[in-house]
Amino acid sequence: VNVDPTQPFCELLSSYRFFRDGPAQLPNDGVLPFDLNTPLFSDYASKHRFVWMPPGTSAAYHGRETFDFPVGAVLLKTFAFPIDERHPELGERLIETRLLLRRASGWEAITYLWDAEQREARRRVIGARVPVEMVRADGSHFAITFQVPNTNQCKECHAEHNDTLGALGPKARNLNKDYAYDDGVANQLARWAAVGYLRGAPNPDAAPASPAFD
């Protein structure tokens, strides 16, 4: 992975080397996938979430607030739509990948828009409107125009104290759940601690957990 928190954002998502296979969303070494107990609804989009931290660094655990992430940490979220929910083998269409980068001055956000060929995602500051079509599990046809936000709109959801940008998902209550990793199922808080990405965390049984909405 290639991240320098003192430099401007790269033009191409692939420049960071977060993925071994970007279109397939296969993470590189050190890029940890995660999920939330109750994710926000986004027009039926699937979401692929990942976290990366510079070697030798970790986030500080908080029982209630967002974890305290080190400078250089990156949170990624890719929005995608399945081609046909009845046939997962057909794959997905990637729309955008959003990055939250922890700089010395605080969090900064940027969006990368995937091209029509699904080979590369390019930095997109002004947002976009992307027509999307898919087939639902019941065979019905679904079509929308997906709104990719511009950079200034990120604060509409990610505003924290004093109107500063912040991370929303990485809280103990959101992450305290099992995740099916490549090497088996494990609790996410325990896995973050095991790989050195989280310090000061209690046993998951002693941590808060939000109920799943469904």
Side-chain angles (χ1 to χ4, degrees):
V1 174
N2 171 42
V3 174
D4 186 341
T6 68
Q7 296 298 311
F9 285 112
C10 297
E11 285 298 315
L12 301 178
L13 180 63
S14 60
S15 298
Y16 295 108
R17 300 196 290 272
F18 289 124
F19 300 102
R20 290 184 286 116
D21 184 334
Q25 293 289 283
L26 296 177
N28 203 348
D29 293 341
V31 181
L32 189 66
F34 69 93
D35 198 3
L36 306 179
N37 272 316
T38 300
L40 296 177
F41 176 75
S42 301
D43 294 325
Y44 298 101
S46 301
K47 299 176 186 177
H48 304 282
R49 296 176 174 85
F50 306 90
V51 59
W52 178 84
M53 299 185 207
T57 68
S58 59
Y61 176 86
H62 290 289
R64 182 177 179 84
E65 304 297 330
T66 301
F67 300 154
D68 185 9
F69 284 83
V71 172
V74 181
L75 298 167
L76 304 90
K77 182 165 61 174
T78 295
F79 291 74
F81 286 86
I83 305 301
D84 189 332
E85 289 183 333
R86 302 168 302 174
H87 299 285
E89 70 276 7
L90 296 178
E92 299 178 308
R93 178 189 174 189
L94 307 181
I95 305 298
E96 58 162 322
T97 297
R98 302 177 187 176
L99 302 189
L100 271 178
L101 170 61
R102 183 64 169 84
R103 299 189 187 275
S105 57
W107 290 101
E108 189 173 349
I110 194 65
T111 291
Y112 289 85
L113 186 66
W114 285 88
D115 59 25
E117 295 75 25
Q118 300 284 277
R119 295 195 185 99
E120 182 61 87
R122 186 175 296 273
R123 188 169 70 98
R124 184 79 175 189
V125 176
I126 62 174
R129 294 173 61 84
V130 182
V132 174
E133 295 184 2
M134 61 178 281
V135 178
R136 300 296 309 281
D138 61 3
S140 61
H141 183 263
F142 175 76
I144 62 166
T145 299
F146 188 84
Q147 180 67 52
V148 177
N150 65 53
T151 301
N152 292 329
Q153 287 175 311
C154 294
K155 282 188 178 181
E156 292 179 8
C157 290
H158 285 267
E160 289 192 326
H161 309 296
N162 301 320
D163 199 35
T164 58
L165 198 69
L168 298 177
K171 297 180 174 70
R173 61 182 179 272
N174 293 334
L175 294 172
N176 194 0
K177 60 170 290 189
D178 286 344
Y179 186 92
Y181 297 97
D182 288 342
D183 60 352
V185 176
N187 179 275
Q188 292 185 129
L189 293 179
R191 177 55 61 98
W192 282 43
V195 301
Y197 275 6
L198 186 61
R199 64 183 187 277
N203 187 286
D205 292 339
S210 294
F213 77 95
D214 58 352

